[in-house]
Amino acid sequence: MARELRTDGTTIDLEAGVTPTTLGWVLDPGDVTVVLEELATVFYRHGWNSWSPTGWAPLDESPVRIWGDDDRRLTADDAANDRPDRHEGNGVGAVELGDGRILLLGALGLGTPRVGSDGSSLWGTVETTDGGGWFLGTGPEDAVFARYAELLRERLGTPTAEPVDTMWCSWYSFFEDIDAERMTGAVDGLGDLPFDVVQMDDGWEEIVGDWDPNAGFPDGLAPIARRIADRGSRPGLWLAPFICLPGSRVVAEHPDWLVQDPTGGPMVAGHNWDSHYFALDTTLPAVQEHLERVIRDVVGWGFRYLKLDFMYAGGLPGVRHQDLPRERVYRDAVELIRRAAGPDVYLLGCGVPMIPSVGVFDGVRVGPDTASDWTRPGTVEDPSHEGGLNAVTASLARWWMRDLYQVDPDVAYFRTVHTTLTPEQRQHTVDIAAVCAFRSTSDPDEWLVADERAGLADFLRAQPTVLRTGRDQFTVDGREVDFRPVVREVRVGRERLTES
């Protein structure tokens, strides 16, 4: 039965299992309900993984979630716990109180915690008590979120690799159309631009699940890594070690390595590459050995920055060799990867469960993929949908997580070819990168004209001073950066969804 606390926004009756702390209270593990004396009207919903819908929304509007696409929901949120009829998310949630303060309820460990509100209460539930209880905090928004992050760091740890300053990646220019010649040309084309990391994305492997270089890289990947290192950058590589496509060798040769569906057969873990894909059972010793070998191989090729994608698949519910809480399974597998890579290799998580990744990842993608378009059909119904608008607004909503790991808002655009972004929209991608202190681009040199190349160089060499002046407002070196019109664009769309 849930422990019930009562608040008028100022005091809380301290019951058994409740310990006072700075800006709030630490609650023991288990379900909890906080009854509000004053009706709340706005709720902060936090999604499960990198792409999951996240943000503040009025409680009388449609919940922030993925609407009308079950396949996408499996990939980009916690589909097992999704509820279309209420405002609820994963890990942490908050409501605004009448005097401008917030009341936050955040999990301090694992256990697949959920937090929701109906305006009259703020509740938290867990699948298992495999965690550190809850933080219930009240006060100014920035201070309460910062205190929550501090408590998470104390329990789950901090990053170990050297932070990333600037990065170039191949994805938003070449996508999967890469080979040794194209990558060599792209690296050489960067000239003397100060990229801390140069990362090769998807397209180098034989097939997702079989992590050997394909025929486009006849000499392997080590020469590419050396070329990147020779220009003074950290070599980076994309892979998705927890998943495998149906046509991969690992599926054909080791069907027993796959997480099983309770109804029989391998469990479908998500959809991409015009296919479904499966998840590896990381509780199996043979799979653990496989993961260690893959990571040691790519590090041995010379890569010092690994973008690990679709990682949520390691924490989906399913039948495994060992029956353990699913976020514990995920965390154990990522810790195995960390040990195999070593503490100095930078791990960037994409599609990762956000709270269970604290302390093992150095950086995390905090929103959906951006795109060379600002919006696409389905942007409102699916806030995890790729596009500049969704990427910027999700990154704003998770800006507070910069105290846990580096927050990656995805790339900034400077080019005016192969994009429909307006100058104002391109500036939004540049500004969110500066605000998040993670500056990256995919623009190849040959796509840039002189003033665009100069703008990129200034962006990379700058060390801006950023101050937050409001929930969606900042100054960057004294220049006002106001994202409120961007957030309003999303809210207007959600209001239309509510009306329909």
Side-chain angles (χ1 to χ4, degrees):
M1 182 176 181
R3 288 172 287 117
E4 189 171 283
L5 310 177
R6 184 170 293 273
T7 176
D8 61 4
T10 304
T11 62
I12 294 177
D13 296 330
L14 300 182
E15 301 180 359
V18 181
T19 304
T21 189
T22 305
L23 290 176
W25 299 263
V26 173
L27 315 180
D28 285 349
D31 294 349
V32 62
T33 300
V34 181
V35 180
L36 306 175
E37 293 285 0
E38 181 180 343
L39 191 67
T41 58
V42 182
F43 175 66
Y44 174 79
R45 192 264 192 189
H46 188 260
W48 186 50
N49 72 40
S50 299
W51 310 310
S52 302
T54 297
W56 291 91
L59 284 160
D60 61 357
E61 293 182 6
S62 292
V64 176
R65 62 185 291 271
I66 298 170
W67 293 88
D69 191 339
D70 293 343
D71 286 352
R72 181 60 183 169
R73 195 175 305 114
L74 173 62
T75 305
D77 208 356
D78 184 16
N81 289 311
D82 179 75
R83 290 283 300 270
D85 58 339
R86 63 188 187 185
H87 290 263
E88 187 176 72
N90 286 77
V92 58
V95 293
E96 290 181 349
L97 300 176
D99 57 4
R101 293 178 300 148
I102 69 164
L103 183 70
L104 175 148
L105 182 64
L108 295 175
L110 312 182
T112 320
R114 298 279 291 177
V115 180
S117 179
D118 59 5
S120 63
S121 64
L122 182 65
W123 64 77
T125 62
V126 292
E127 285 186 2
T128 68
T129 55
D130 180 31
W134 303 90
F135 170 60
L136 181 65
T138 184
E141 182 176 329
D142 284 354
V144 173
F145 273 102
R147 176 58 177 152
Y148 175 50
E150 181 181 26
L151 291 170
L152 282 173
R153 289 197 309 271
E154 290 175 1
R155 287 156 173 79
L156 298 179
T158 56
T160 60
E162 181 182 351
V164 168
D165 189 20
T166 56
M167 184 187 70
W168 185 90
C169 79
S170 61
W171 183 247
Y172 294 102
S173 50
F174 307 137
F175 295 96
E176 295 174 73
D177 187 16
I178 58 174
D179 56 22
E181 181 180 0
R182 168 162 272 183
M183 285 304 305
T184 298
V187 171
D188 292 348
L190 298 177
D192 63 353
L193 289 173
F195 284 104
D196 178 24
V197 172
V198 174
Q199 180 232 312
M200 182 163 55
D201 215 282
D202 188 11
W204 64 268
E205 73 283 0
E206 289 184 346
I207 186 174
V208 171
D210 298 337
W211 303 108
D212 295 309
N214 61 39
F217 298 88
D219 298 321
L221 300 190
I224 303 294
R226 284 195 300 271
R227 205 171 195 97
I228 295 170
D230 286 346
R231 77 173 307 277
S233 301
R234 279 186 273 183
L237 188 67
W238 173 95
L239 64 161
F242 288 170
I243 65 171
C244 42
L245 284 167
S248 61
R249 289 194 315 275
V250 71
V251 169
E253 297 174 5
H254 303 286
D256 55 313
W257 285 9
L258 306 179
V259 178
Q260 299 296 299
D261 190 284
T263 62
M267 180 192 73
V268 172
H271 300 81
N272 204 43
W273 302 281
D274 298 318
S275 174
H276 62 275
Y277 50 81
F278 303 123
L280 292 175
D281 180 355
T282 59
T283 69
L284 278 166
V287 172
Q288 294 166 7
E289 293 172 5
H290 164 77
L291 289 174
E292 289 177 339
R293 183 169 59 253
V294 167
I295 299 301
R296 287 173 179 159
D297 280 350
V298 299
V299 171
W301 297 338
F303 293 98
R304 295 294 178 268
Y305 171 105
L306 303 182
K307 177 184 174 183
L308 306 179
D309 210 347
F310 295 88
M311 299 294 282
Y312 75 92
L316 289 175
V319 179
R320 294 179 171 85
H321 171 66
Q322 287 186 282
D323 185 17
L324 298 170
R326 59 189 177 108
E327 286 192 343
R328 172 56 57 190
V329 169
Y330 166 80
R331 175 88 179 189
D332 288 348
V334 177
E335 288 177 342
L336 180 149
I337 288 175
R338 166 54 75 192
R339 290 191 298 271
D344 298 329
V345 172
Y346 191 102
L347 300 184
L348 187 284
C350 190
V352 297
M354 302 299 288
I355 302 302
S357 295
V358 174
V360 284
F361 277 99
D362 302 291
V364 166
R365 172 75 64 76
V366 291
D369 280 11
T370 188
S372 55
D373 305 309
W374 187 241
T375 58
R376 295 181 176 183
T379 294
V380 172
E381 294 83 356
D382 179 4
S384 78
H385 192 54
E386 63 185 22
L389 176 63
N390 281 342
V392 168
T393 53
S395 299
L396 284 170
R398 281 175 162 158
W399 185 79
W400 66 272
M401 303 192 87
R402 75 201 186 285
D403 290 333
L404 301 172
Y405 29 57
Q406 286 194 279
V407 294
D408 171 14
D410 218 349
V411 302
Y413 283 83
F414 294 85
R415 70 194 196 223
T416 52
V417 297
H418 306 301
T419 178
T420 63
L421 296 175
T422 67
E424 182 181 28
Q425 290 162 354
R426 290 199 304 275
Q427 186 62 47
H428 288 320
T429 71
V430 171
D431 286 338
I432 195 65
V435 163
C436 291
F438 195 104
R439 292 170 293 161
S440 65
T441 188
S442 280
D443 292 348
D445 178 74
E446 64 265 28
W447 291 6
L448 301 174
V449 298
D451 61 334
E452 295 163 2
R453 191 175 295 110
L456 172 58
D458 290 344
F459 169 76
L460 297 172
R461 294 191 172 101
Q463 296 295 325
T465 298
V466 175
L467 297 175
R468 193 184 194 199
T469 58
R471 177 173 292 164
D472 302 309
Q473 298 165 275
F474 300 82
T475 61
V476 178
D477 285 338
R479 174 176 61 90
E480 182 179 359
V481 175
D482 189 352
F483 291 106
R484 287 178 298 178
V486 177
V487 175
R488 193 175 303 120
E489 187 175 350
V490 173
R491 183 176 176 184
V492 168
R494 192 165 54 241
E495 287 175 342
R496 289 198 299 267
L497 180 63
T498 300
E499 293 167 0
S500 64

